[in-house]
Amino acid sequence: MNADKEKWILLIILSIIWGSSFILIKKSLEHFSPYQVGALRVLIAGIILMPIAISKYKLFPKKHLKWLILAAFTGNFIPMFLFPIAETEVSSSIAGIINSMMPIFVIIVGALVWKFETTKQQIFGTLISFTGVCLLAFGGDGEGGKFKLIPILLLLLATLCYAMSTTTVKSKLMEVSSTVLSAFVFSFVLFFPSVIALTWTGFFSTFSLNENNLTGLMFVSLLSIFGTGLAMMMNYRLLKVSSPLFASTVTLLMPIVAIIWGFLDGEKLSSLQFVGAVVIIAGLIFLRAKPNVIKK
């Protein structure tokens, strides 16, 4: 399969998988705390990928260890906690919409840290999308609710972390295969931090095999296997056959999937939030124009 066709297939599959992650986080929160959801998500992915990590341990990129750790914590650990914490205050639809800001942060981080080229349209598109985020924040909870700044900021921070990880992988870790990179991240780097986090929350001392916990584990396992382990392998592969900006385009389609799941689960967007979502996506589309390049 040629790279151009492969990147579009990966983009569509990732959009469906990651767009469904927000409703799975919401359902997981009905059974576990936000910190337990985040830690379980990482731990389960690590257990599943452990055989690959062990079999490929000789390929561990020791010379790039610091970049591997940076990419792991910013892309696969910190956001796993920030999203559940935020979703205790906002809907899964809003979380999916805010996550679509990732291309904006890819541009900002890429330009400031990695000296990627930036265009005037990208800068203007960033301002448009930022206006949309402000409308989302002031739009309440879809039922005339109050202004919720803190959860919006947590979601933006999580999205910034994703952008830091994406640009780090593209700039420093492209020589490591996507499967091996995912296995190392979850099994060698993040496995023990997730165990520590679960211990800190009292999960191991209070967990029992009852219907509530087993249902919660089902939702978290789906989130871990598909939304974390499999999706990250596909994302690393997408970064290899495309650019960081194209890979982040998945966030244009994710809100559509997230909103559909939210609607089916009874969530509502206020009129102001709906306008904000449209403005964010309009800004993302605009920043993909190709005019004059501003060299860093």
Side-chain angles (χ1 to χ4, degrees):
M1 184 187 301
N2 63 62
D4 190 62
K5 183 178 180 180
E6 182 182 2
K7 71 180 184 181
W8 283 104
I9 293 175
L10 289 171
L11 180 70
I12 293 171
I13 296 175
L14 274 173
S15 299
I16 295 173
I17 293 176
W18 271 339
S20 302
S21 294
F22 305 102
I23 192 67
L24 288 173
I25 291 173
K26 177 182 178 180
K27 293 301 181 182
S28 299
L29 287 170
E30 296 175 1
H31 306 274
F32 303 117
S33 73
Y35 301 100
Q36 290 173 340
V37 170
L40 281 170
R41 184 177 180 181
V42 177
L43 179 63
I44 293 172
I47 292 172
I48 291 174
L49 293 171
M50 185 72 75
I52 298 176
I54 293 174
S55 65
K56 304 290 185 181
Y57 76 94
K58 290 183 179 180
L59 299 177
F60 190 83
K62 295 178 181 178
K63 65 178 180 178
H64 297 312
L65 181 59
K66 64 179 180 180
W67 303 117
L68 182 66
I69 292 175
L70 175 62
F73 275 90
T74 56
N76 305 107
F77 195 76
I78 297 174
M80 303 307 175
F81 294 90
L82 294 178
F83 273 100
I85 293 171
E87 282 197 44
T88 61
E89 297 289 334
V90 298
S91 69
S92 62
S93 300
I94 295 299
I97 293 169
I98 292 294
N99 194 61
S100 68
M101 288 285 292
M102 183 180 161
I104 301 296
F105 288 116
V106 166
I107 291 171
I108 295 172
V109 173
L112 295 179
V113 178
W114 303 111
K115 308 304 180 184
F116 291 172
E117 293 180 340
T118 307
T119 67
K120 292 180 180 178
Q121 276 77 1
Q122 287 173 344
I123 294 173
F124 192 55
T126 299
L127 295 176
I128 294 174
S129 291
F130 178 75
T131 302
V133 171
C134 293
L135 293 175
L136 274 182
F138 282 99
D141 59 7
E143 299 175 354
K146 59 184 179 180
F147 171 64
K148 294 182 176 179
L149 176 63
I150 299 302
I152 297 295
L153 290 178
L154 290 177
L155 292 171
L156 288 173
L157 177 58
T159 307
L160 171 62
C161 286
Y162 280 143
M164 291 174 63
S165 178
T166 295
T167 53
T168 299
V169 170
K170 187 64 179 181
S171 300
K172 297 294 183 178
L173 298 170
M174 281 293 92
E175 65 185 63
V176 186
S177 77
S178 54
T179 301
V180 171
L181 185 57
S182 297
F184 287 163
V185 161
F186 288 105
S187 300
F188 287 165
V189 180
L190 299 179
F191 185 86
F192 289 107
S194 64
V195 171
I196 293 172
L198 284 174
T199 303
W200 174 71
T201 63
F203 176 82
F204 295 114
S205 60
T206 59
F207 181 80
S208 60
L209 291 176
N210 55 50
E211 183 178 353
N212 177 70
N213 287 336
L214 291 176
T215 301
L217 277 179
M218 179 191 70
F219 285 122
V220 178
S221 296
L222 288 173
L223 184 62
S224 302
I225 296 169
F226 293 99
T228 305
L230 177 62
M232 288 313 301
M233 282 191 284
M234 297 177 67
N235 184 55
Y236 289 146
R237 177 60 188 172
L238 180 59
L239 283 170
K240 285 182 177 294
V241 297
S242 66
S243 67
L245 189 57
F246 181 89
S248 66
T249 303
V250 68
T251 56
L252 278 174
L253 304 177
M254 283 167 54
I256 299 173
V257 179
I259 289 172
I260 291 173
W261 278 116
F263 175 78
L264 293 175
D265 199 51
E267 295 179 0
K268 296 179 181 178
L269 292 177
S270 68
S271 299
L272 191 58
Q273 287 176 329
F274 180 78
V275 172
V278 172
V279 171
I280 287 175
I281 293 175
L284 294 175
I285 293 173
F286 187 84
L287 64 82
R288 279 166 171 75
K290 298 182 181 176
N292 309 314
V293 173
I294 302 174
K295 304 251 188 182
K296 293 297 294 182

